[in-house]
Amino acid sequence: MQTLANAGSDLADAGSAAGTVWPVILCGGSGRRLWPVSRRDHPKQFQRLSSDKSLVQETALRARDGLGLGMPVLLCNETHRFMLQDHMAEIGIEAAALLSEPQSRNTAPAIAAAARFVSDRDPDAMLLVMPSDHFIGNQAAFATAFAKARQIAQTGRLVTFGIRPVRPETGYGYIEQGRPVEPAGTGFEIASFMEKPALARAEELVRGGRHLWNSGIFLLPVRVLIDEFERLCPDILAAASAALSAARDSDGRLLLDTTAFLTAPAASIDVAVMEHTRLGAVVPADMDWSDIGTWPALREMRGGDAMGNVLDGNAVVEDVTNCFIQSTGRLIAAIGLDDVVIVETDDAVLISGAGHAARLDGLVGRLRDAGQSAADRHLRVHRPWGHYRTVDRGDRYQVKHIQVKPGESTSLQFHHHRAEHWIVVSGTGRVVRDGETILLHECQSLHIPPGVSHRLENPGKIPLRIAEVQVGAYLGEDDIVRLDDRYGRA
């Protein structure tokens, strides 16, 4: 635990920090503790876990519709940037910027890059920093907490949102409330932080009534934040600033410079700034918050039936209590279970005691070490132009279902080791094959021999669906030689 000094003269020096609030949404998480639904190629923030919208969509709408804020600044891993654009387009939200990280360095470098971007355009702004994969059930309470945080931030403080604990929780960090801050009735100084305590200590913290869960949501005056980065961790600020200055603009996305960004130490904003600043404050909030970090947390968020169960999809149970059972297709039949998690996808099944679900991170790591592709990838793989799904594979062959979005196209490419045969299932395809342009309609097919350059385009207004049969000695995705790509991929 680290105890923080009083704000004192630092707060007076910070001065007023009134200004426009820019939402900053962090989309870099991998969500391995919700495997097999959440995987590295399609993580938790892009899943629809609490409604018909993904978690990142709910986060963006919470800022726009719930708080009336403007266009967000989005930060994500480079591999997810096209998926993120699709999710924003689906709900009609245009981003002020999409900053693409070449590799995750935790939250501090990402927030430093966002701070530099906003400061260059609006030096008196505030940043409302929000993880993209959290749930907030009480929007009115969130708006109330935001209004209090804004009053505090205008005095030059860095504000975090603390959640009043409803149980001893060992999976969350805790914030100890210090003395009240001005304006009266809005919040408290931060006395200390504590990371994920043991159960006995968590029980003490909850009984004491002075500690809040650390939500990871912040309201930060950008001038003050940059000053504190400069004072406390100048190496992070320098790396993020250099990465932004050398960023490559690609179709409306800023790809942060890899060499510069990777010089930043990997650190959270809590460790880099909030645990050391004398300008920190916390606003207590009761807003039905969850980070949905485990399957039992999702069960609690959704609420169980009379037997304490959450059953989702094709599931039939008998004498089952306090269980989370989710099927995406196949029937799950369960008898005589208590406090168990069962999650089925098209290529994996998880069965776990609810009390052990937090250990999934380690299990996924073991799957990755064993070379199991299901550790990171679904059978359905998303690409900037659409998606594909492997439906069958065997010795020297593979069958895929490919869908290309209207107006999009694959790269111009060729393969060394495989031939491909395409059959149009629906829509219209325009194929460039060795310089020749061919138009394909439903039920028509085309053969692509090894070594022949080709590109598949969808010139129509409906999705183009293709059945692809690959034949060859090697069928891996790394047997793609890109000659030209509209999405800036190597």
PDB file of all heavy atoms in Angstrom, residues 391-427:
ATOM      1  N   VAL A 391     -14.662 -24.224 -42.313  1.00  0.00           N
ATOM      2  CA  VAL A 391     -15.752 -25.170 -42.065  1.00  0.00           C
ATOM      3  C   VAL A 391     -15.301 -26.622 -42.151  1.00  0.00           C
ATOM      4  O   VAL A 391     -15.967 -27.525 -41.650  1.00  0.00           O
ATOM      5  CB  VAL A 391     -16.929 -24.930 -43.036  1.00  0.00           C
ATOM      6  CG1 VAL A 391     -17.546 -23.561 -42.778  1.00  0.00           C
ATOM      7  CG2 VAL A 391     -16.485 -25.028 -44.491  1.00  0.00           C
ATOM      8  N   ASP A 392     -14.152 -26.871 -42.780  1.00  0.00           N
ATOM      9  CA  ASP A 392     -13.631 -28.237 -42.852  1.00  0.00           C
ATOM     10  C   ASP A 392     -12.159 -28.172 -43.239  1.00  0.00           C
ATOM     11  O   ASP A 392     -11.733 -27.264 -43.951  1.00  0.00           O
ATOM     12  CB  ASP A 392     -14.414 -29.074 -43.873  1.00  0.00           C
ATOM     13  CG  ASP A 392     -14.103 -30.567 -43.771  1.00  0.00           C
ATOM     14  OD1 ASP A 392     -13.598 -30.993 -42.710  1.00  0.00           O
ATOM     15  OD2 ASP A 392     -14.355 -31.285 -44.756  1.00  0.00           O
ATOM     16  N   ARG A 393     -11.405 -29.132 -42.759  1.00  0.00           N
ATOM     17  CA  ARG A 393     -10.000 -29.218 -43.161  1.00  0.00           C
ATOM     18  C   ARG A 393      -9.530 -30.655 -43.022  1.00  0.00           C
ATOM     19  O   ARG A 393     -10.072 -31.437 -42.234  1.00  0.00           O
ATOM     20  CB  ARG A 393      -9.124 -28.286 -42.322  1.00  0.00           C
ATOM     21  CG  ARG A 393      -8.989 -28.682 -40.858  1.00  0.00           C
ATOM     22  CD  ARG A 393      -8.075 -27.719 -40.114  1.00  0.00           C
ATOM     23  NE  ARG A 393      -8.676 -26.407 -39.950  1.00  0.00           N
ATOM     24  CZ  ARG A 393      -8.006 -25.321 -39.572  1.00  0.00           C
ATOM     25  NH1 ARG A 393      -6.701 -25.400 -39.379  1.00  0.00           N
ATOM     26  NH2 ARG A 393      -8.626 -24.185 -39.407  1.00  0.00           N
ATOM     27  N   GLY A 394      -8.549 -31.006 -43.813  1.00  0.00           N
ATOM     28  CA  GLY A 394      -7.997 -32.349 -43.778  1.00  0.00           C
ATOM     29  C   GLY A 394      -6.642 -32.358 -44.458  1.00  0.00           C
ATOM     30  O   GLY A 394      -6.029 -31.304 -44.678  1.00  0.00           O
ATOM     31  N   ASP A 395      -6.166 -33.541 -44.814  1.00  0.00           N
ATOM     32  CA  ASP A 395      -4.869 -33.671 -45.453  1.00  0.00           C
ATOM     33  C   ASP A 395      -4.885 -33.006 -46.824  1.00  0.00           C
ATOM     34  O   ASP A 395      -5.602 -33.428 -47.730  1.00  0.00           O
ATOM     35  CB  ASP A 395      -4.509 -35.156 -45.583  1.00  0.00           C
ATOM     36  CG  ASP A 395      -3.123 -35.354 -46.163  1.00  0.00           C
ATOM     37  OD1 ASP A 395      -2.258 -34.490 -45.927  1.00  0.00           O
ATOM     38  OD2 ASP A 395      -2.912 -36.364 -46.867  1.00  0.00           O
ATOM     39  N   ARG A 396      -4.132 -31.909 -46.982  1.00  0.00           N
ATOM     40  CA  ARG A 396      -3.950 -31.180 -48.231  1.00  0.00           C
ATOM     41  C   ARG A 396      -5.191 -30.431 -48.717  1.00  0.00           C
ATOM     42  O   ARG A 396      -5.254 -30.014 -49.861  1.00  0.00           O
ATOM     43  CB  ARG A 396      -3.450 -32.120 -49.347  1.00  0.00           C
ATOM     44  CG  ARG A 396      -2.060 -32.706 -49.097  1.00  0.00           C
ATOM     45  CD  ARG A 396      -1.625 -33.560 -50.292  1.00  0.00           C
ATOM     46  NE  ARG A 396      -1.605 -32.774 -51.525  1.00  0.00           N
ATOM     47  CZ  ARG A 396      -0.565 -32.034 -51.924  1.00  0.00           C
ATOM     48  NH1 ARG A 396       0.533 -31.977 -51.192  1.00  0.00           N
ATOM     49  NH2 ARG A 396      -0.620 -31.346 -53.066  1.00  0.00           N
ATOM     50  N   TYR A 397      -6.198 -30.222 -47.860  1.00  0.00           N
ATOM     51  CA  TYR A 397      -7.342 -29.412 -48.291  1.00  0.00           C
ATOM     52  C   TYR A 397      -7.907 -28.643 -47.103  1.00  0.00           C
ATOM     53  O   TYR A 397      -7.738 -29.014 -45.936  1.00  0.00           O
ATOM     54  CB  TYR A 397      -8.440 -30.273 -48.923  1.00  0.00           C
ATOM     55  CG  TYR A 397      -9.325 -30.988 -47.926  1.00  0.00           C
ATOM     56  CD1 TYR A 397     -10.499 -30.395 -47.448  1.00  0.00           C
ATOM     57  CD2 TYR A 397      -8.987 -32.254 -47.454  1.00  0.00           C
ATOM     58  CE1 TYR A 397     -11.306 -31.044 -46.527  1.00  0.00           C
ATOM     59  CE2 TYR A 397      -9.785 -32.910 -46.541  1.00  0.00           C
ATOM     60  CZ  TYR A 397     -10.945 -32.307 -46.075  1.00  0.00           C
ATOM     61  OH  TYR A 397     -11.737 -32.951 -45.151  1.00  0.00           O
ATOM     62  N   GLN A 398      -8.609 -27.566 -47.427  1.00  0.00           N
ATOM     63  CA  GLN A 398      -9.294 -26.743 -46.434  1.00  0.00           C
ATOM     64  C   GLN A 398     -10.463 -26.047 -47.121  1.00  0.00           C
ATOM     65  O   GLN A 398     -10.342 -25.594 -48.259  1.00  0.00           O
ATOM     66  CB  GLN A 398      -8.323 -25.710 -45.848  1.00  0.00           C
ATOM     67  CG  GLN A 398      -8.909 -24.875 -44.737  1.00  0.00           C
ATOM     68  CD  GLN A 398      -7.823 -24.096 -44.000  1.00  0.00           C
ATOM     69  OE1 GLN A 398      -7.653 -24.210 -42.807  1.00  0.00           O
ATOM     70  NE2 GLN A 398      -7.061 -23.285 -44.731  1.00  0.00           N
ATOM     71  N   VAL A 399     -11.597 -25.968 -46.421  1.00  0.00           N
ATOM     72  CA  VAL A 399     -12.799 -25.340 -46.962  1.00  0.00           C
ATOM     73  C   VAL A 399     -13.162 -24.161 -46.068  1.00  0.00           C
ATOM     74  O   VAL A 399     -13.236 -24.295 -44.843  1.00  0.00           O
ATOM     75  CB  VAL A 399     -13.977 -26.333 -47.042  1.00  0.00           C
ATOM     76  CG1 VAL A 399     -15.210 -25.635 -47.637  1.00  0.00           C
ATOM     77  CG2 VAL A 399     -13.596 -27.555 -47.861  1.00  0.00           C
ATOM     78  N   LYS A 400     -13.384 -23.007 -46.696  1.00  0.00           N
ATOM     79  CA  LYS A 400     -13.743 -21.800 -45.953  1.00  0.00           C
ATOM     80  C   LYS A 400     -15.009 -21.171 -46.518  1.00  0.00           C
ATOM     81  O   LYS A 400     -15.294 -21.284 -47.712  1.00  0.00           O
ATOM     82  CB  LYS A 400     -12.610 -20.762 -46.021  1.00  0.00           C
ATOM     83  CG  LYS A 400     -11.353 -21.123 -45.269  1.00  0.00           C
ATOM     84  CD  LYS A 400     -10.328 -20.010 -45.390  1.00  0.00           C
ATOM     85  CE  LYS A 400      -9.075 -20.304 -44.587  1.00  0.00           C
ATOM     86  NZ  LYS A 400      -8.071 -19.213 -44.721  1.00  0.00           N
ATOM     87  N   HIS A 401     -15.732 -20.508 -45.632  1.00  0.00           N
ATOM     88  CA  HIS A 401     -16.814 -19.627 -46.056  1.00  0.00           C
ATOM     89  C   HIS A 401     -16.299 -18.205 -45.927  1.00  0.00           C
ATOM     90  O   HIS A 401     -15.882 -17.781 -44.841  1.00  0.00           O
ATOM     91  CB  HIS A 401     -18.067 -19.819 -45.210  1.00  0.00           C
ATOM     92  CG  HIS A 401     -19.128 -18.798 -45.467  1.00  0.00           C
ATOM     93  ND1 HIS A 401     -19.740 -18.098 -44.465  1.00  0.00           N
ATOM     94  CD2 HIS A 401     -19.648 -18.320 -46.634  1.00  0.00           C
ATOM     95  CE1 HIS A 401     -20.611 -17.255 -44.988  1.00  0.00           C
ATOM     96  NE2 HIS A 401     -20.574 -17.375 -46.300  1.00  0.00           N
ATOM     97  N   ILE A 402     -16.293 -17.434 -47.014  1.00  0.00           N
ATOM     98  CA  ILE A 402     -15.762 -16.073 -47.048  1.00  0.00           C
ATOM     99  C   ILE A 402     -16.904 -15.098 -47.286  1.00  0.00           C
ATOM    100  O   ILE A 402     -17.776 -15.349 -48.137  1.00  0.00           O
ATOM    101  CB  ILE A 402     -14.705 -15.930 -48.164  1.00  0.00           C
ATOM    102  CG1 ILE A 402     -13.502 -16.838 -47.883  1.00  0.00           C
ATOM    103  CG2 ILE A 402     -14.253 -14.473 -48.310  1.00  0.00           C
ATOM    104  CD1 ILE A 402     -12.493 -16.873 -49.014  1.00  0.00           C
ATOM    105  N   GLN A 403     -16.912 -14.000 -46.536  1.00  0.00           N
ATOM    106  CA  GLN A 403     -17.897 -12.947 -46.766  1.00  0.00           C
ATOM    107  C   GLN A 403     -17.179 -11.615 -46.891  1.00  0.00           C
ATOM    108  O   GLN A 403     -16.420 -11.221 -46.006  1.00  0.00           O
ATOM    109  CB  GLN A 403     -18.927 -12.894 -45.637  1.00  0.00           C
ATOM    110  CG  GLN A 403     -20.022 -11.845 -45.861  1.00  0.00           C
ATOM    111  CD  GLN A 403     -21.212 -12.052 -44.948  1.00  0.00           C
ATOM    112  OE1 GLN A 403     -21.824 -13.120 -44.926  1.00  0.00           O
ATOM    113  NE2 GLN A 403     -21.545 -11.034 -44.180  1.00  0.00           N
ATOM    114  N   VAL A 404     -17.416 -10.922 -48.007  1.00  0.00           N
ATOM    115  CA  VAL A 404     -16.792  -9.629 -48.288  1.00  0.00           C
ATOM    116  C   VAL A 404     -17.867  -8.547 -48.200  1.00  0.00           C
ATOM    117  O   VAL A 404     -18.926  -8.655 -48.834  1.00  0.00           O
ATOM    118  CB  VAL A 404     -16.129  -9.616 -49.684  1.00  0.00           C
ATOM    119  CG1 VAL A 404     -15.437  -8.285 -49.929  1.00  0.00           C
ATOM    120  CG2 VAL A 404     -15.140 -10.768 -49.821  1.00  0.00           C
ATOM    121  N   LYS A 405     -17.579  -7.502 -47.438  1.00  0.00           N
ATOM    122  CA  LYS A 405     -18.548  -6.427 -47.260  1.00  0.00           C
ATOM    123  C   LYS A 405     -18.702  -5.613 -48.546  1.00  0.00           C
ATOM    124  O   LYS A 405     -17.761  -5.530 -49.350  1.00  0.00           O
ATOM    125  CB  LYS A 405     -18.089  -5.507 -46.115  1.00  0.00           C
ATOM    126  CG  LYS A 405     -18.075  -6.173 -44.757  1.00  0.00           C
ATOM    127  CD  LYS A 405     -17.645  -5.225 -43.660  1.00  0.00           C
ATOM    128  CE  LYS A 405     -16.173  -4.882 -43.759  1.00  0.00           C
ATOM    129  NZ  LYS A 405     -15.701  -4.105 -42.572  1.00  0.00           N
ATOM    130  N   PRO A 406     -19.869  -5.009 -48.760  1.00  0.00           N
ATOM    131  CA  PRO A 406     -20.063  -4.175 -49.948  1.00  0.00           C
ATOM    132  C   PRO A 406     -18.997  -3.079 -50.049  1.00  0.00           C
ATOM    133  O   PRO A 406     -18.686  -2.406 -49.065  1.00  0.00           O
ATOM    134  CB  PRO A 406     -21.460  -3.572 -49.735  1.00  0.00           C
ATOM    135  CG  PRO A 406     -22.166  -4.572 -48.881  1.00  0.00           C
ATOM    136  CD  PRO A 406     -21.113  -5.122 -47.963  1.00  0.00           C
ATOM    137  N   GLY A 407     -18.434  -2.940 -51.240  1.00  0.00           N
ATOM    138  CA  GLY A 407     -17.442  -1.907 -51.476  1.00  0.00           C
ATOM    139  C   GLY A 407     -16.039  -2.244 -51.015  1.00  0.00           C
ATOM    140  O   GLY A 407     -15.122  -1.448 -51.216  1.00  0.00           O
ATOM    141  N   GLU A 408     -15.823  -3.415 -50.444  1.00  0.00           N
ATOM    142  CA  GLU A 408     -14.505  -3.780 -49.922  1.00  0.00           C
ATOM    143  C   GLU A 408     -13.842  -4.819 -50.819  1.00  0.00           C
ATOM    144  O   GLU A 408     -14.470  -5.405 -51.703  1.00  0.00           O
ATOM    145  CB  GLU A 408     -14.621  -4.309 -48.489  1.00  0.00           C
ATOM    146  CG  GLU A 408     -15.310  -3.360 -47.517  1.00  0.00           C
ATOM    147  CD  GLU A 408     -14.529  -2.069 -47.309  1.00  0.00           C
ATOM    148  OE1 GLU A 408     -13.292  -2.068 -47.515  1.00  0.00           O
ATOM    149  OE2 GLU A 408     -15.152  -1.050 -46.957  1.00  0.00           O
ATOM    150  N   SER A 409     -12.547  -5.061 -50.540  1.00  0.00           N
ATOM    151  CA  SER A 409     -11.814  -6.023 -51.349  1.00  0.00           C
ATOM    152  C   SER A 409     -10.658  -6.603 -50.557  1.00  0.00           C
ATOM    153  O   SER A 409     -10.127  -5.957 -49.635  1.00  0.00           O
ATOM    154  CB  SER A 409     -11.277  -5.365 -52.626  1.00  0.00           C
ATOM    155  OG  SER A 409     -10.261  -4.443 -52.309  1.00  0.00           O
ATOM    156  N   THR A 410     -10.251  -7.807 -50.911  1.00  0.00           N
ATOM    157  CA  THR A 410      -9.062  -8.389 -50.332  1.00  0.00           C
ATOM    158  C   THR A 410      -7.826  -7.720 -50.936  1.00  0.00           C
ATOM    159  O   THR A 410      -7.930  -6.916 -51.871  1.00  0.00           O
ATOM    160  CB  THR A 410      -8.998  -9.904 -50.602  1.00  0.00           C
ATOM    161  OG1 THR A 410      -8.815 -10.122 -52.020  1.00  0.00           O
ATOM    162  CG2 THR A 410     -10.287 -10.596 -50.159  1.00  0.00           C
ATOM    163  N   SER A 411      -6.667  -8.048 -50.417  1.00  0.00           N
ATOM    164  CA  SER A 411      -5.427  -7.532 -51.009  1.00  0.00           C
ATOM    165  C   SER A 411      -5.162  -8.219 -52.348  1.00  0.00           C
ATOM    166  O   SER A 411      -5.704  -9.287 -52.642  1.00  0.00           O
ATOM    167  CB  SER A 411      -4.255  -7.779 -50.053  1.00  0.00           C
ATOM    168  OG  SER A 411      -4.102  -9.156 -49.801  1.00  0.00           O
ATOM    169  N   LEU A 412      -4.332  -7.585 -53.153  1.00  0.00           N
ATOM    170  CA  LEU A 412      -3.799  -8.250 -54.351  1.00  0.00           C
ATOM    171  C   LEU A 412      -2.668  -9.141 -53.861  1.00  0.00           C
ATOM    172  O   LEU A 412      -1.700  -8.659 -53.271  1.00  0.00           O
ATOM    173  CB  LEU A 412      -3.290  -7.221 -55.354  1.00  0.00           C
ATOM    174  CG  LEU A 412      -2.726  -7.788 -56.659  1.00  0.00           C
ATOM    175  CD1 LEU A 412      -3.812  -8.495 -57.465  1.00  0.00           C
ATOM    176  CD2 LEU A 412      -2.072  -6.677 -57.486  1.00  0.00           C
ATOM    177  N   GLN A 413      -2.771 -10.469 -54.111  1.00  0.00           N
ATOM    178  CA  GLN A 413      -1.887 -11.421 -53.458  1.00  0.00           C
ATOM    179  C   GLN A 413      -1.682 -12.651 -54.329  1.00  0.00           C
ATOM    180  O   GLN A 413      -2.385 -12.858 -55.320  1.00  0.00           O
ATOM    181  CB  GLN A 413      -2.486 -11.845 -52.107  1.00  0.00           C
ATOM    182  CG  GLN A 413      -3.864 -12.490 -52.246  1.00  0.00           C
ATOM    183  CD  GLN A 413      -4.510 -12.808 -50.911  1.00  0.00           C
ATOM    184  OE1 GLN A 413      -4.589 -13.963 -50.515  1.00  0.00           O
ATOM    185  NE2 GLN A 413      -4.979 -11.761 -50.222  1.00  0.00           N
ATOM    186  N   PHE A 414      -0.718 -13.467 -53.905  1.00  0.00           N
ATOM    187  CA  PHE A 414      -0.599 -14.806 -54.483  1.00  0.00           C
ATOM    188  C   PHE A 414      -0.086 -15.758 -53.410  1.00  0.00           C
ATOM    189  O   PHE A 414       0.344 -15.337 -52.328  1.00  0.00           O
ATOM    190  CB  PHE A 414       0.319 -14.816 -55.718  1.00  0.00           C
ATOM    191  CG  PHE A 414       1.783 -14.576 -55.417  1.00  0.00           C
ATOM    192  CD1 PHE A 414       2.633 -15.639 -55.106  1.00  0.00           C
ATOM    193  CD2 PHE A 414       2.322 -13.298 -55.485  1.00  0.00           C
ATOM    194  CE1 PHE A 414       3.975 -15.423 -54.837  1.00  0.00           C
ATOM    195  CE2 PHE A 414       3.663 -13.082 -55.234  1.00  0.00           C
ATOM    196  CZ  PHE A 414       4.495 -14.146 -54.897  1.00  0.00           C
ATOM    197  N   HIS A 415      -0.169 -17.055 -53.691  1.00  0.00           N
ATOM    198  CA  HIS A 415       0.245 -18.096 -52.756  1.00  0.00           C
ATOM    199  C   HIS A 415       1.285 -18.986 -53.425  1.00  0.00           C
ATOM    200  O   HIS A 415       1.163 -19.326 -54.601  1.00  0.00           O
ATOM    201  CB  HIS A 415      -0.947 -18.944 -52.317  1.00  0.00           C
ATOM    202  CG  HIS A 415      -2.137 -18.136 -51.898  1.00  0.00           C
ATOM    203  ND1 HIS A 415      -2.172 -17.398 -50.745  1.00  0.00           N
ATOM    204  CD2 HIS A 415      -3.343 -17.934 -52.507  1.00  0.00           C
ATOM    205  CE1 HIS A 415      -3.343 -16.785 -50.645  1.00  0.00           C
ATOM    206  NE2 HIS A 415      -4.068 -17.095 -51.713  1.00  0.00           N
ATOM    207  N   HIS A 416       2.275 -19.392 -52.667  1.00  0.00           N
ATOM    208  CA  HIS A 416       3.308 -20.283 -53.202  1.00  0.00           C
ATOM    209  C   HIS A 416       2.842 -21.736 -53.250  1.00  0.00           C
ATOM    210  O   HIS A 416       3.187 -22.468 -54.177  1.00  0.00           O
ATOM    211  CB  HIS A 416       4.574 -20.212 -52.341  1.00  0.00           C
ATOM    212  CG  HIS A 416       5.341 -18.932 -52.498  1.00  0.00           C
ATOM    213  ND1 HIS A 416       5.981 -18.584 -53.662  1.00  0.00           N
ATOM    214  CD2 HIS A 416       5.567 -17.918 -51.608  1.00  0.00           C
ATOM    215  CE1 HIS A 416       6.581 -17.407 -53.500  1.00  0.00           C
ATOM    216  NE2 HIS A 416       6.341 -16.980 -52.267  1.00  0.00           N
ATOM    217  N   HIS A 417       2.067 -22.160 -52.243  1.00  0.00           N
ATOM    218  CA  HIS A 417       1.881 -23.591 -52.010  1.00  0.00           C
ATOM    219  C   HIS A 417       0.458 -24.104 -52.215  1.00  0.00           C
ATOM    220  O   HIS A 417       0.230 -25.305 -52.080  1.00  0.00           O
ATOM    221  CB  HIS A 417       2.324 -23.948 -50.582  1.00  0.00           C
ATOM    222  CG  HIS A 417       3.738 -23.540 -50.278  1.00  0.00           C
ATOM    223  ND1 HIS A 417       4.819 -24.155 -50.850  1.00  0.00           N
ATOM    224  CD2 HIS A 417       4.225 -22.563 -49.473  1.00  0.00           C
ATOM    225  CE1 HIS A 417       5.938 -23.597 -50.394  1.00  0.00           C
ATOM    226  NE2 HIS A 417       5.608 -22.616 -49.567  1.00  0.00           N
ATOM    227  N   ARG A 418      -0.493 -23.235 -52.491  1.00  0.00           N
ATOM    228  CA  ARG A 418      -1.861 -23.713 -52.591  1.00  0.00           C
ATOM    229  C   ARG A 418      -2.575 -23.123 -53.790  1.00  0.00           C
ATOM    230  O   ARG A 418      -2.285 -22.014 -54.239  1.00  0.00           O
ATOM    231  CB  ARG A 418      -2.648 -23.392 -51.316  1.00  0.00           C
ATOM    232  CG  ARG A 418      -3.011 -21.920 -51.138  1.00  0.00           C
ATOM    233  CD  ARG A 418      -3.864 -21.755 -49.887  1.00  0.00           C
ATOM    234  NE  ARG A 418      -4.375 -20.417 -49.691  1.00  0.00           N
ATOM    235  CZ  ARG A 418      -4.104 -19.656 -48.635  1.00  0.00           C
ATOM    236  NH1 ARG A 418      -3.313 -20.102 -47.686  1.00  0.00           N
ATOM    237  NH2 ARG A 418      -4.643 -18.451 -48.515  1.00  0.00           N
ATOM    238  N   ALA A 419      -3.540 -23.901 -54.284  1.00  0.00           N
ATOM    239  CA  ALA A 419      -4.505 -23.427 -55.275  1.00  0.00           C
ATOM    240  C   ALA A 419      -5.821 -23.162 -54.563  1.00  0.00           C
ATOM    241  O   ALA A 419      -6.117 -23.751 -53.509  1.00  0.00           O
ATOM    242  CB  ALA A 419      -4.698 -24.466 -56.370  1.00  0.00           C
ATOM    243  N   GLU A 420      -6.629 -22.276 -55.136  1.00  0.00           N
ATOM    244  CA  GLU A 420      -7.932 -21.952 -54.548  1.00  0.00           C
ATOM    245  C   GLU A 420      -9.006 -22.040 -55.635  1.00  0.00           C
ATOM    246  O   GLU A 420      -8.772 -21.644 -56.778  1.00  0.00           O
ATOM    247  CB  GLU A 420      -7.923 -20.540 -53.949  1.00  0.00           C
ATOM    248  CG  GLU A 420      -6.967 -20.401 -52.776  1.00  0.00           C
ATOM    249  CD  GLU A 420      -6.885 -18.991 -52.236  1.00  0.00           C
ATOM    250  OE1 GLU A 420      -7.327 -18.043 -52.949  1.00  0.00           O
ATOM    251  OE2 GLU A 420      -6.377 -18.817 -51.123  1.00  0.00           O
ATOM    252  N   HIS A 421     -10.164 -22.556 -55.209  1.00  0.00           N
ATOM    253  CA  HIS A 421     -11.315 -22.617 -56.110  1.00  0.00           C
ATOM    254  C   HIS A 421     -12.470 -21.913 -55.413  1.00  0.00           C
ATOM    255  O   HIS A 421     -12.831 -22.252 -54.290  1.00  0.00           O
ATOM    256  CB  HIS A 421     -11.691 -24.070 -56.419  1.00  0.00           C
ATOM    257  CG  HIS A 421     -12.680 -24.191 -57.540  1.00  0.00           C
ATOM    258  ND1 HIS A 421     -12.330 -24.040 -58.862  1.00  0.00           N
ATOM    259  CD2 HIS A 421     -14.019 -24.423 -57.522  1.00  0.00           C
ATOM    260  CE1 HIS A 421     -13.405 -24.191 -59.616  1.00  0.00           C
ATOM    261  NE2 HIS A 421     -14.432 -24.419 -58.834  1.00  0.00           N
ATOM    262  N   TRP A 422     -13.027 -20.905 -56.081  1.00  0.00           N
ATOM    263  CA  TRP A 422     -14.086 -20.087 -55.492  1.00  0.00           C
ATOM    264  C   TRP A 422     -15.423 -20.376 -56.167  1.00  0.00           C
ATOM    265  O   TRP A 422     -15.512 -20.462 -57.390  1.00  0.00           O
ATOM    266  CB  TRP A 422     -13.788 -18.603 -55.657  1.00  0.00           C
ATOM    267  CG  TRP A 422     -12.574 -18.127 -54.928  1.00  0.00           C
ATOM    268  CD1 TRP A 422     -11.932 -18.734 -53.901  1.00  0.00           C
ATOM    269  CD2 TRP A 422     -11.855 -16.912 -55.183  1.00  0.00           C
ATOM    270  NE1 TRP A 422     -10.862 -17.993 -53.484  1.00  0.00           N
ATOM    271  CE2 TRP A 422     -10.788 -16.858 -54.252  1.00  0.00           C
ATOM    272  CE3 TRP A 422     -12.004 -15.871 -56.091  1.00  0.00           C
ATOM    273  CZ2 TRP A 422      -9.876 -15.803 -54.216  1.00  0.00           C
ATOM    274  CZ3 TRP A 422     -11.104 -14.815 -56.054  1.00  0.00           C
ATOM    275  CH2 TRP A 422     -10.053 -14.778 -55.121  1.00  0.00           C
ATOM    276  N   ILE A 423     -16.468 -20.474 -55.348  1.00  0.00           N
ATOM    277  CA  ILE A 423     -17.843 -20.605 -55.849  1.00  0.00           C
ATOM    278  C   ILE A 423     -18.675 -19.504 -55.196  1.00  0.00           C
ATOM    279  O   ILE A 423     -18.695 -19.379 -53.968  1.00  0.00           O
ATOM    280  CB  ILE A 423     -18.448 -21.980 -55.503  1.00  0.00           C
ATOM    281  CG1 ILE A 423     -17.565 -23.102 -56.049  1.00  0.00           C
ATOM    282  CG2 ILE A 423     -19.874 -22.101 -56.051  1.00  0.00           C
ATOM    283  CD1 ILE A 423     -17.974 -24.488 -55.562  1.00  0.00           C
ATOM    284  N   VAL A 424     -19.347 -18.692 -55.995  1.00  0.00           N
ATOM    285  CA  VAL A 424     -20.165 -17.610 -55.458  1.00  0.00           C
ATOM    286  C   VAL A 424     -21.479 -18.183 -54.931  1.00  0.00           C
ATOM    287  O   VAL A 424     -22.233 -18.813 -55.671  1.00  0.00           O
ATOM    288  CB  VAL A 424     -20.445 -16.539 -56.532  1.00  0.00           C
ATOM    289  CG1 VAL A 424     -21.366 -15.455 -55.980  1.00  0.00           C
ATOM    290  CG2 VAL A 424     -19.139 -15.915 -57.016  1.00  0.00           C
ATOM    291  N   VAL A 425     -21.728 -17.984 -53.652  1.00  0.00           N
ATOM    292  CA  VAL A 425     -22.969 -18.438 -53.018  1.00  0.00           C
ATOM    293  C   VAL A 425     -24.058 -17.378 -53.160  1.00  0.00           C
ATOM    294  O   VAL A 425     -25.216 -17.680 -53.459  1.00  0.00           O
ATOM    295  CB  VAL A 425     -22.723 -18.770 -51.537  1.00  0.00           C
ATOM    296  CG1 VAL A 425     -24.026 -19.172 -50.851  1.00  0.00           C
ATOM    297  CG2 VAL A 425     -21.679 -19.873 -51.405  1.00  0.00           C
ATOM    298  N   SER A 426     -23.695 -16.114 -52.942  1.00  0.00           N
ATOM    299  CA  SER A 426     -24.655 -15.017 -53.140  1.00  0.00           C
ATOM    300  C   SER A 426     -23.882 -13.730 -53.348  1.00  0.00           C
ATOM    301  O   SER A 426     -22.733 -13.584 -52.913  1.00  0.00           O
ATOM    302  CB  SER A 426     -25.606 -14.883 -51.942  1.00  0.00           C
ATOM    303  OG  SER A 426     -24.901 -14.573 -50.764  1.00  0.00           O
ATOM    304  N   GLY A 427     -24.507 -12.779 -54.037  1.00  0.00           N
ATOM    305  CA  GLY A 427     -23.857 -11.513 -54.342  1.00  0.00           C
ATOM    306  C   GLY A 427     -23.091 -11.578 -55.658  1.00  0.00           C
ATOM    307  O   GLY A 427     -23.181 -12.544 -56.419  1.00  0.00           O
TER     308      GLY A 427
END
